[in-house]
PDB file of all heavy atoms in Angstrom:
ATOM      1  N   SER A 837      -9.031  23.092   4.796  1.00 89.00           N
ATOM      2  CA  SER A 837     -10.426  22.796   5.089  1.00 89.00           C
ATOM      3  C   SER A 837     -11.183  22.559   3.787  1.00 89.00           C
ATOM      4  O   SER A 837     -10.997  23.285   2.819  1.00 89.00           O
ATOM      5  CB  SER A 837     -11.035  23.980   5.850  1.00 89.00           C
ATOM      6  OG  SER A 837     -12.405  23.785   6.042  1.00 89.00           O
ATOM      7  N   PHE A 838     -12.030  21.538   3.777  1.00 90.00           N
ATOM      8  CA  PHE A 838     -12.859  21.254   2.607  1.00 90.00           C
ATOM      9  C   PHE A 838     -14.132  20.553   3.058  1.00 90.00           C
ATOM     10  O   PHE A 838     -14.234  20.081   4.182  1.00 90.00           O
ATOM     11  CB  PHE A 838     -12.107  20.419   1.566  1.00 90.00           C
ATOM     12  CG  PHE A 838     -11.658  19.074   2.072  1.00 90.00           C
ATOM     13  CD1 PHE A 838     -12.449  17.953   1.892  1.00 90.00           C
ATOM     14  CD2 PHE A 838     -10.439  18.933   2.712  1.00 90.00           C
ATOM     15  CE1 PHE A 838     -12.043  16.717   2.346  1.00 90.00           C
ATOM     16  CE2 PHE A 838     -10.017  17.703   3.176  1.00 90.00           C
ATOM     17  CZ  PHE A 838     -10.824  16.588   2.992  1.00 90.00           C
ATOM     18  N   ASN A 839     -15.116  20.506   2.166  1.00 91.00           N
ATOM     19  CA  ASN A 839     -16.396  19.872   2.460  1.00 91.00           C
ATOM     20  C   ASN A 839     -16.506  18.552   1.722  1.00 91.00           C
ATOM     21  O   ASN A 839     -16.106  18.446   0.561  1.00 91.00           O
ATOM     22  CB  ASN A 839     -17.570  20.761   2.040  1.00 91.00           C
ATOM     23  CG  ASN A 839     -17.666  22.011   2.879  1.00 91.00           C
ATOM     24  OD1 ASN A 839     -17.122  22.092   3.975  1.00 91.00           O
ATOM     25  ND2 ASN A 839     -18.361  23.002   2.371  1.00 91.00           N
ATOM     26  N   LEU A 840     -17.068  17.564   2.404  1.00 91.00           N
ATOM     27  CA  LEU A 840     -17.436  16.288   1.789  1.00 91.00           C
ATOM     28  C   LEU A 840     -18.950  16.266   1.703  1.00 91.00           C
ATOM     29  O   LEU A 840     -19.629  16.535   2.700  1.00 91.00           O
ATOM     30  CB  LEU A 840     -16.987  15.113   2.656  1.00 91.00           C
ATOM     31  CG  LEU A 840     -15.541  14.713   2.648  1.00 91.00           C
ATOM     32  CD1 LEU A 840     -15.316  13.564   3.620  1.00 91.00           C
ATOM     33  CD2 LEU A 840     -15.098  14.314   1.259  1.00 91.00           C
ATOM     34  N   ARG A 841     -19.473  15.946   0.518  1.00 92.00           N
ATOM     35  CA  ARG A 841     -20.930  15.912   0.344  1.00 92.00           C
ATOM     36  C   ARG A 841     -21.328  14.642  -0.383  1.00 92.00           C
ATOM     37  O   ARG A 841     -20.588  14.150  -1.222  1.00 92.00           O
ATOM     38  CB  ARG A 841     -21.397  17.111  -0.461  1.00 92.00           C
ATOM     39  CG  ARG A 841     -21.322  18.411   0.277  1.00 92.00           C
ATOM     40  CD  ARG A 841     -21.760  19.560  -0.583  1.00 92.00           C
ATOM     41  NE  ARG A 841     -22.880  19.218  -1.447  1.00 92.00           N
ATOM     42  CZ  ARG A 841     -24.004  19.908  -1.533  1.00 92.00           C
ATOM     43  NH1 ARG A 841     -24.158  20.981  -0.816  1.00 92.00           N
ATOM     44  NH2 ARG A 841     -24.965  19.544  -2.344  1.00 92.00           N
ATOM     45  N   GLY A 842     -22.511  14.151  -0.059  1.00 93.00           N
ATOM     46  CA  GLY A 842     -23.036  12.984  -0.741  1.00 93.00           C
ATOM     47  C   GLY A 842     -24.476  12.748  -0.357  1.00 93.00           C
ATOM     48  O   GLY A 842     -25.008  13.381   0.561  1.00 93.00           O
ATOM     49  N   ALA A 843     -25.117  11.856  -1.062  1.00 94.00           N
ATOM     50  CA  ALA A 843     -26.526  11.552  -0.792  1.00 94.00           C
ATOM     51  C   ALA A 843     -26.683  10.798   0.520  1.00 94.00           C
ATOM     52  O   ALA A 843     -27.639  11.007   1.263  1.00 94.00           O
ATOM     53  CB  ALA A 843     -27.108  10.740  -1.940  1.00 94.00           C
ATOM     54  N   MET A 844     -25.760   9.889   0.814  1.00 94.00           N
ATOM     55  CA  MET A 844     -25.789   9.112   2.049  1.00 94.00           C
ATOM     56  C   MET A 844     -24.392   8.600   2.324  1.00 94.00           C
ATOM     57  O   MET A 844     -23.505   8.705   1.481  1.00 94.00           O
ATOM     58  CB  MET A 844     -26.782   7.956   1.950  1.00 94.00           C
ATOM     59  CG  MET A 844     -26.403   6.901   0.952  1.00 94.00           C
ATOM     60  SD  MET A 844     -27.531   5.505   0.909  1.00 94.00           S
ATOM     61  CE  MET A 844     -28.933   6.199   0.084  1.00 94.00           C
ATOM     62  N   ALA A 845     -24.200   8.038   3.514  1.00 94.00           N
ATOM     63  CA  ALA A 845     -22.878   7.531   3.875  1.00 94.00           C
ATOM     64  C   ALA A 845     -23.034   6.272   4.719  1.00 94.00           C
ATOM     65  O   ALA A 845     -24.067   6.049   5.360  1.00 94.00           O
ATOM     66  CB  ALA A 845     -22.099   8.582   4.661  1.00 94.00           C
ATOM     67  N   HIS A 846     -21.986   5.469   4.704  1.00 93.00           N
ATOM     68  CA  HIS A 846     -21.921   4.293   5.564  1.00 93.00           C
ATOM     69  C   HIS A 846     -20.474   4.158   6.025  1.00 93.00           C
ATOM     70  O   HIS A 846     -19.577   3.914   5.217  1.00 93.00           O
ATOM     71  CB  HIS A 846     -22.365   3.033   4.820  1.00 93.00           C
ATOM     72  CG  HIS A 846     -22.213   1.791   5.629  1.00 93.00           C
ATOM     73  ND1 HIS A 846     -23.079   1.471   6.647  1.00 93.00           N
ATOM     74  CD2 HIS A 846     -21.291   0.815   5.596  1.00 93.00           C
ATOM     75  CE1 HIS A 846     -22.701   0.337   7.193  1.00 93.00           C
ATOM     76  NE2 HIS A 846     -21.607  -0.074   6.566  1.00 93.00           N
ATOM     77  N   PHE A 847     -20.234   4.364   7.310  1.00 91.00           N
ATOM     78  CA  PHE A 847     -18.901   4.245   7.906  1.00 91.00           C
ATOM     79  C   PHE A 847     -18.958   3.063   8.865  1.00 91.00           C
ATOM     80  O   PHE A 847     -19.285   3.212  10.036  1.00 91.00           O
ATOM     81  CB  PHE A 847     -18.498   5.527   8.632  1.00 91.00           C
ATOM     82  CG  PHE A 847     -18.648   6.765   7.785  1.00 91.00           C
ATOM     83  CD1 PHE A 847     -19.584   7.731   8.097  1.00 91.00           C
ATOM     84  CD2 PHE A 847     -17.855   6.951   6.674  1.00 91.00           C
ATOM     85  CE1 PHE A 847     -19.728   8.875   7.328  1.00 91.00           C
ATOM     86  CE2 PHE A 847     -17.990   8.091   5.883  1.00 91.00           C
ATOM     87  CZ  PHE A 847     -18.925   9.046   6.216  1.00 91.00           C
ATOM     88  N   ARG A 848     -18.661   1.875   8.360  1.00 90.00           N
ATOM     89  CA  ARG A 848     -18.884   0.621   9.075  1.00 90.00           C
ATOM     90  C   ARG A 848     -18.114   0.555  10.386  1.00 90.00           C
ATOM     91  O   ARG A 848     -16.921   0.826  10.433  1.00 90.00           O
ATOM     92  CB  ARG A 848     -18.494  -0.559   8.197  1.00 90.00           C
ATOM     93  CG  ARG A 848     -18.851  -1.885   8.812  1.00 90.00           C
ATOM     94  CD  ARG A 848     -18.538  -3.018   7.846  1.00 90.00           C
ATOM     95  NE  ARG A 848     -18.839  -4.289   8.425  1.00 90.00           N
ATOM     96  CZ  ARG A 848     -18.001  -4.967   9.203  1.00 90.00           C
ATOM     97  NH1 ARG A 848     -16.811  -4.481   9.458  1.00 90.00           N
ATOM     98  NH2 ARG A 848     -18.353  -6.125   9.712  1.00 90.00           N
ATOM     99  N   LYS A 849     -18.842   0.181  11.430  1.00 88.00           N
ATOM    100  CA  LYS A 849     -18.212  -0.067  12.721  1.00 88.00           C
ATOM    101  C   LYS A 849     -17.506  -1.412  12.638  1.00 88.00           C
ATOM    102  O   LYS A 849     -18.101  -2.410  12.251  1.00 88.00           O
ATOM    103  CB  LYS A 849     -19.255  -0.074  13.840  1.00 88.00           C
ATOM    104  CG  LYS A 849     -19.868   1.287  14.080  1.00 88.00           C
ATOM    105  CD  LYS A 849     -20.835   1.258  15.246  1.00 88.00           C
ATOM    106  CE  LYS A 849     -21.398   2.648  15.494  1.00 88.00           C
ATOM    107  NZ  LYS A 849     -22.310   2.676  16.635  1.00 88.00           N
ATOM    108  N   VAL A 850     -16.232  -1.441  13.008  1.00 84.00           N
ATOM    109  CA  VAL A 850     -15.419  -2.632  12.798  1.00 84.00           C
ATOM    110  C   VAL A 850     -15.817  -3.800  13.691  1.00 84.00           C
ATOM    111  O   VAL A 850     -15.539  -4.943  13.377  1.00 84.00           O
ATOM    112  CB  VAL A 850     -13.915  -2.329  12.980  1.00 84.00           C
ATOM    113  CG1 VAL A 850     -13.443  -1.368  11.917  1.00 84.00           C
ATOM    114  CG2 VAL A 850     -13.634  -1.780  14.363  1.00 84.00           C
ATOM    115  N   PHE A 851     -16.469  -3.540  14.806  1.00 82.00           N
ATOM    116  CA  PHE A 851     -16.808  -4.617  15.732  1.00 82.00           C
ATOM    117  C   PHE A 851     -18.119  -5.313  15.380  1.00 82.00           C
ATOM    118  O   PHE A 851     -18.538  -6.232  16.064  1.00 82.00           O
ATOM    119  CB  PHE A 851     -16.870  -4.097  17.171  1.00 82.00           C
ATOM    120  CG  PHE A 851     -17.842  -2.966  17.364  1.00 82.00           C
ATOM    121  CD1 PHE A 851     -19.196  -3.208  17.545  1.00 82.00           C
ATOM    122  CD2 PHE A 851     -17.395  -1.658  17.355  1.00 82.00           C
ATOM    123  CE1 PHE A 851     -20.084  -2.170  17.719  1.00 82.00           C
ATOM    124  CE2 PHE A 851     -18.281  -0.613  17.525  1.00 82.00           C
ATOM    125  CZ  PHE A 851     -19.631  -0.872  17.712  1.00 82.00           C
ATOM    126  N   THR A 852     -18.781  -4.905  14.303  1.00 74.00           N
ATOM    127  CA  THR A 852     -20.029  -5.553  13.907  1.00 74.00           C
ATOM    128  C   THR A 852     -19.739  -6.563  12.809  1.00 74.00           C
ATOM    129  O   THR A 852     -18.942  -6.317  11.918  1.00 74.00           O
ATOM    130  CB  THR A 852     -21.052  -4.526  13.377  1.00 74.00           C
ATOM    131  OG1 THR A 852     -20.530  -3.894  12.216  1.00 74.00           O
ATOM    132  CG2 THR A 852     -21.373  -3.495  14.427  1.00 74.00           C
ATOM    133  N   ASN A 853     -20.386  -7.719  12.899  1.00 72.00           N
ATOM    134  CA  ASN A 853     -20.158  -8.709  11.849  1.00 72.00           C
ATOM    135  C   ASN A 853     -21.456  -9.182  11.199  1.00 72.00           C
ATOM    136  O   ASN A 853     -21.487  -9.472  10.029  1.00 72.00           O
ATOM    137  CB  ASN A 853     -19.357  -9.902  12.369  1.00 72.00           C
ATOM    138  CG  ASN A 853     -19.968 -10.510  13.601  1.00 72.00           C
ATOM    139  OD1 ASN A 853     -21.081 -10.176  13.974  1.00 72.00           O
ATOM    140  ND2 ASN A 853     -19.242 -11.406  14.237  1.00 72.00           N
ATOM    141  N   SER A 854     -22.536  -9.268  11.935  1.00 70.00           N
ATOM    142  CA  SER A 854     -23.765  -9.730  11.298  1.00 70.00           C
ATOM    143  C   SER A 854     -24.602  -8.565  10.773  1.00 70.00           C
ATOM    144  O   SER A 854     -25.244  -8.681   9.745  1.00 70.00           O
ATOM    145  CB  SER A 854     -24.580 -10.574  12.275  1.00 70.00           C
ATOM    146  OG  SER A 854     -24.953  -9.797  13.385  1.00 70.00           O
ATOM    147  N   THR A 855     -24.610  -7.443  11.474  1.00 75.00           N
ATOM    148  CA  THR A 855     -25.272  -6.249  10.970  1.00 75.00           C
ATOM    149  C   THR A 855     -24.209  -5.200  10.694  1.00 75.00           C
ATOM    150  O   THR A 855     -23.222  -5.110  11.405  1.00 75.00           O
ATOM    151  CB  THR A 855     -26.289  -5.677  11.981  1.00 75.00           C
ATOM    152  OG1 THR A 855     -25.599  -5.362  13.182  1.00 75.00           O
ATOM    153  CG2 THR A 855     -27.408  -6.641  12.256  1.00 75.00           C
ATOM    154  N   SER A 856     -24.406  -4.429   9.685  1.00 86.00           N
ATOM    155  CA  SER A 856     -23.438  -3.396   9.326  1.00 86.00           C
ATOM    156  C   SER A 856     -23.892  -2.064   9.916  1.00 86.00           C
ATOM    157  O   SER A 856     -24.617  -1.305   9.277  1.00 86.00           O
ATOM    158  CB  SER A 856     -23.309  -3.294   7.807  1.00 86.00           C
ATOM    159  OG  SER A 856     -22.786  -4.489   7.291  1.00 86.00           O
ATOM    160  N   LEU A 857     -23.479  -1.795  11.128  1.00 89.00           N
ATOM    161  CA  LEU A 857     -23.781  -0.526  11.770  1.00 89.00           C
ATOM    162  C   LEU A 857     -22.802   0.530  11.289  1.00 89.00           C
ATOM    163  O   LEU A 857     -21.706   0.221  10.837  1.00 89.00           O
ATOM    164  CB  LEU A 857     -23.716  -0.668  13.288  1.00 89.00           C
ATOM    165  CG  LEU A 857     -24.676  -1.686  13.904  1.00 89.00           C
ATOM    166  CD1 LEU A 857     -24.469  -1.778  15.407  1.00 89.00           C
ATOM    167  CD2 LEU A 857     -26.108  -1.345  13.581  1.00 89.00           C
ATOM    168  N   SER A 858     -23.195   1.791  11.407  1.00 92.00           N
ATOM    169  CA  SER A 858     -22.381   2.886  10.885  1.00 92.00           C
ATOM    170  C   SER A 858     -22.116   3.927  11.961  1.00 92.00           C
ATOM    171  O   SER A 858     -22.970   4.199  12.801  1.00 92.00           O
ATOM    172  CB  SER A 858     -23.113   3.544   9.706  1.00 92.00           C
ATOM    173  OG  SER A 858     -22.368   4.635   9.216  1.00 92.00           O
ATOM    174  N   TYR A 859     -20.928   4.513  11.909  1.00 91.00           N
ATOM    175  CA  TYR A 859     -20.643   5.686  12.716  1.00 91.00           C
ATOM    176  C   TYR A 859     -21.340   6.887  12.079  1.00 91.00           C
ATOM    177  O   TYR A 859     -21.600   6.901  10.878  1.00 91.00           O
ATOM    178  CB  TYR A 859     -19.132   5.978  12.746  1.00 91.00           C
ATOM    179  CG  TYR A 859     -18.307   4.951  13.468  1.00 91.00           C
ATOM    180  CD1 TYR A 859     -17.445   4.125  12.768  1.00 91.00           C
ATOM    181  CD2 TYR A 859     -18.366   4.827  14.848  1.00 91.00           C
ATOM    182  CE1 TYR A 859     -16.660   3.195  13.423  1.00 91.00           C
ATOM    183  CE2 TYR A 859     -17.591   3.893  15.515  1.00 91.00           C
ATOM    184  CZ  TYR A 859     -16.739   3.080  14.793  1.00 91.00           C
ATOM    185  OH  TYR A 859     -15.979   2.164  15.442  1.00 91.00           O
ATOM    186  N   TYR A 860     -21.608   7.918  12.855  1.00 94.00           N
ATOM    187  CA  TYR A 860     -22.166   9.150  12.306  1.00 94.00           C
ATOM    188  C   TYR A 860     -21.124   9.934  11.504  1.00 94.00           C
ATOM    189  O   TYR A 860     -21.450  10.637  10.564  1.00 94.00           O
ATOM    190  CB  TYR A 860     -22.690  10.064  13.420  1.00 94.00           C
ATOM    191  CG  TYR A 860     -24.109   9.782  13.825  1.00 94.00           C
ATOM    192  CD1 TYR A 860     -24.398   9.153  15.024  1.00 94.00           C
ATOM    193  CD2 TYR A 860     -25.175  10.156  13.013  1.00 94.00           C
ATOM    194  CE1 TYR A 860     -25.705   8.907  15.403  1.00 94.00           C
ATOM    195  CE2 TYR A 860     -26.479   9.910  13.376  1.00 94.00           C
ATOM    196  CZ  TYR A 860     -26.738   9.284  14.579  1.00 94.00           C
ATOM    197  OH  TYR A 860     -28.035   9.036  14.947  1.00 94.00           O
ATOM    198  N   PHE A 861     -19.865   9.827  11.904  1.00 95.00           N
ATOM    199  CA  PHE A 861     -18.785  10.609  11.291  1.00 95.00           C
ATOM    200  C   PHE A 861     -17.769   9.678  10.648  1.00 95.00           C
ATOM    201  O   PHE A 861     -17.547   8.571  11.126  1.00 95.00           O
ATOM    202  CB  PHE A 861     -18.075  11.465  12.346  1.00 95.00           C
ATOM    203  CG  PHE A 861     -18.967  12.458  13.004  1.00 95.00           C
ATOM    204  CD1 PHE A 861     -19.621  12.157  14.188  1.00 95.00           C
ATOM    205  CD2 PHE A 861     -19.186  13.691  12.421  1.00 95.00           C
ATOM    206  CE1 PHE A 861     -20.458  13.077  14.787  1.00 95.00           C
ATOM    207  CE2 PHE A 861     -20.017  14.619  13.017  1.00 95.00           C
ATOM    208  CZ  PHE A 861     -20.658  14.307  14.192  1.00 95.00           C
ATOM    209  N   PRO A 862     -17.111  10.122   9.564  1.00 95.00           N
ATOM    210  CA  PRO A 862     -16.078   9.279   8.959  1.00 95.00           C
ATOM    211  C   PRO A 862     -14.898   9.118   9.915  1.00 95.00           C
ATOM    212  O   PRO A 862     -14.404  10.105  10.476  1.00 95.00           O
ATOM    213  CB  PRO A 862     -15.670  10.056   7.705  1.00 95.00           C
ATOM    214  CG  PRO A 862     -16.144  11.443   7.906  1.00 95.00           C
ATOM    215  CD  PRO A 862     -17.295  11.383   8.851  1.00 95.00           C
ATOM    216  N   PRO A 863     -14.449   7.889  10.129  1.00 92.00           N
ATOM    217  CA  PRO A 863     -13.285   7.665  10.994  1.00 92.00           C
ATOM    218  C   PRO A 863     -12.006   8.229  10.372  1.00 92.00           C
ATOM    219  O   PRO A 863     -11.947   8.533   9.173  1.00 92.00           O
ATOM    220  CB  PRO A 863     -13.197   6.140  11.093  1.00 92.00           C
ATOM    221  CG  PRO A 863     -14.489   5.624  10.594  1.00 92.00           C
ATOM    222  CD  PRO A 863     -15.054   6.647   9.683  1.00 92.00           C
ATOM    223  N   ARG A 864     -10.987   8.341  11.187  1.00 90.00           N
ATOM    224  CA  ARG A 864      -9.695   8.877  10.743  1.00 90.00           C
ATOM    225  C   ARG A 864      -9.145   8.102   9.545  1.00 90.00           C
ATOM    226  O   ARG A 864      -8.665   8.694   8.583  1.00 90.00           O
ATOM    227  CB  ARG A 864      -8.709   8.835  11.918  1.00 90.00           C
ATOM    228  CG  ARG A 864      -7.318   9.294  11.572  1.00 90.00           C
ATOM    229  CD  ARG A 864      -6.391   9.164  12.773  1.00 90.00           C
ATOM    230  NE  ARG A 864      -5.032   9.442  12.406  1.00 90.00           N
ATOM    231  CZ  ARG A 864      -4.504  10.651  12.343  1.00 90.00           C
ATOM    232  NH1 ARG A 864      -5.236  11.700  12.632  1.00 90.00           N
ATOM    233  NH2 ARG A 864      -3.239  10.815  12.000  1.00 90.00           N
ATOM    234  N   THR A 865      -9.232   6.784   9.580  1.00 88.00           N
ATOM    235  CA  THR A 865      -8.681   5.985   8.483  1.00 88.00           C
ATOM    236  C   THR A 865      -9.434   6.229   7.174  1.00 88.00           C
ATOM    237  O   THR A 865      -8.840   6.201   6.101  1.00 88.00           O
ATOM    238  CB  THR A 865      -8.707   4.492   8.829  1.00 88.00           C
ATOM    239  OG1 THR A 865     -10.037   4.131   9.247  1.00 88.00           O
ATOM    240  CG2 THR A 865      -7.721   4.171   9.928  1.00 88.00           C
ATOM    241  N   THR A 866     -10.729   6.483   7.264  1.00 90.00           N
ATOM    242  CA  THR A 866     -11.512   6.805   6.069  1.00 90.00           C
ATOM    243  C   THR A 866     -11.056   8.136   5.481  1.00 90.00           C
ATOM    244  O   THR A 866     -10.870   8.269   4.266  1.00 90.00           O
ATOM    245  CB  THR A 866     -13.014   6.860   6.405  1.00 90.00           C
ATOM    246  OG1 THR A 866     -13.409   5.590   6.931  1.00 90.00           O
ATOM    247  CG2 THR A 866     -13.841   7.204   5.194  1.00 90.00           C
ATOM    248  N   LEU A 867     -10.861   9.118   6.354  1.00 91.00           N
ATOM    249  CA  LEU A 867     -10.381  10.434   5.891  1.00 91.00           C
ATOM    250  C   LEU A 867      -8.985  10.318   5.283  1.00 91.00           C
ATOM    251  O   LEU A 867      -8.692  10.940   4.261  1.00 91.00           O
ATOM    252  CB  LEU A 867     -10.385  11.431   7.039  1.00 91.00           C
ATOM    253  CG  LEU A 867     -11.765  11.767   7.605  1.00 91.00           C
ATOM    254  CD1 LEU A 867     -11.627  12.619   8.856  1.00 91.00           C
ATOM    255  CD2 LEU A 867     -12.616  12.455   6.569  1.00 91.00           C
ATOM    256  N   MET A 868      -8.140   9.494   5.899  1.00 89.00           N
ATOM    257  CA  MET A 868      -6.799   9.279   5.355  1.00 89.00           C
ATOM    258  C   MET A 868      -6.891   8.701   3.942  1.00 89.00           C
ATOM    259  O   MET A 868      -6.173   9.133   3.036  1.00 89.00           O
ATOM    260  CB  MET A 868      -6.010   8.332   6.262  1.00 89.00           C
ATOM    261  CG  MET A 868      -5.603   8.940   7.585  1.00 89.00           C
ATOM    262  SD  MET A 868      -4.996   7.750   8.801  1.00 89.00           S
ATOM    263  CE  MET A 868      -3.562   7.093   8.008  1.00 89.00           C
ATOM    264  N   GLY A 869      -7.787   7.745   3.736  1.00 89.00           N
ATOM    265  CA  GLY A 869      -7.955   7.129   2.427  1.00 89.00           C
ATOM    266  C   GLY A 869      -8.491   8.097   1.391  1.00 89.00           C
ATOM    267  O   GLY A 869      -8.070   8.086   0.235  1.00 89.00           O
TER     268      GLY A 869
END
Side-chain angles (χ1 to χ4, degrees):
S837 175
F838 61 93
N839 292 341
L840 283 178
R841 289 178 38 128
M844 66 177 74
H846 175 76
F847 308 113
R848 187 176 179 275
K849 292 183 178 182
V850 295
F851 57 82
T852 62
N853 53 10
S854 62
T855 59
S856 296
L857 300 177
S858 178
Y859 293 111
Y860 273 106
F861 299 93
R864 177 183 173 84
T865 52
T866 301
L867 295 172
M868 289 167 62

